[in-house]
């Protein structure tokens, strides 16, 4: 199984670049945001690892990922939690405004 991580060049620099690993890389632990596991297509990724790289570990040939599929969305369960929290906050603000309006009317 492969691991998918966000590339960065230091604290708070995560961007739109990412990398995958197909084996443990202890030297990368706690340095990059891991956001996925690669469950299918390992054969394709294995072929990518066969491409020669330069001294900075960048591929000598251009590699493009044309399509991906999310097999399991770990955030699905969180959507309801986030929506409920947003609705709760909106209701709180609405009640506070109604309270202030009634207070001003007195």
């Amino acid at each position: 199984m492969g691991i998918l991580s966000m590339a960065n060049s230091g604290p708070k620099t995560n961007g739109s670049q990412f990398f995958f690993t197909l084996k443990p890389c202890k030297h990368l632990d706690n340095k990059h945001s891991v956001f996925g596991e690669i469950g299918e297509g390992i054969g394709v990724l294995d072929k990518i690892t066969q491409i020669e790289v330069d001294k900075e570990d960048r591929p000598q040939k251009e590699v493009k990922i044309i399509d991906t599929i999310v097999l399991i969305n770990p955030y699905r369960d969180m959507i309801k939690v986030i929506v409920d929290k947003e609705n709760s906050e909106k209701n709180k603000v609405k009640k506070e405004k109604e309270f202030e309006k009634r207070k001003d009317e007195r």
Side-chain angles (χ1 to χ4, degrees):
M1 177 146 322
I3 299 294
L4 192 58
S5 300
M6 183 69 62
N8 67 58
S9 58
K12 299 182 182 180
T13 61
N14 289 342
S16 60
Q17 293 182 330
F18 64 91
F19 64 93
F20 66 88
T21 60
L22 298 176
K23 61 183 179 181
C25 297
K26 294 288 184 190
H27 66 286
L28 299 176
D29 287 356
N30 300 313
K31 293 184 180 178
H32 302 278
S33 300
V34 174
F35 65 92
E37 292 180 348
I38 301 164
E40 292 183 9
I42 294 293
V44 173
L45 298 180
D46 191 45
K47 286 181 183 178
I48 293 172
T49 65
Q50 308 285 325
I51 297 171
E52 290 188 36
V53 296
D54 64 19
K55 61 185 173 187
E56 295 177 348
D57 269 344
R58 295 185 179 165
Q60 293 291 315
K61 291 162 87 178
E62 183 178 54
V63 176
K64 288 186 179 182
I65 297 175
I66 305 299
D67 191 22
T68 61
I69 298 171
V70 176
L71 299 174
I72 299 171
N73 182 352
Y75 303 105
R76 183 179 300 131
D77 296 338
M78 291 304 298
I79 292 171
K80 183 178 181 336
V81 172
I82 293 167
V83 169
D84 288 348
K85 182 179 179 184
E86 288 175 354
N87 287 338
S88 176
E89 289 172 3
K90 287 178 186 177
N91 286 335
K92 181 180 177 185
V93 169
K94 184 178 175 183
K95 286 179 182 179
E96 288 172 355
K97 286 181 180 180
E98 288 172 0
F99 176 77
E100 290 298 321
K101 184 178 176 182
R102 282 192 227 128
K103 189 172 137 183
D104 290 341
E105 291 174 352
R106 292 184 188 162

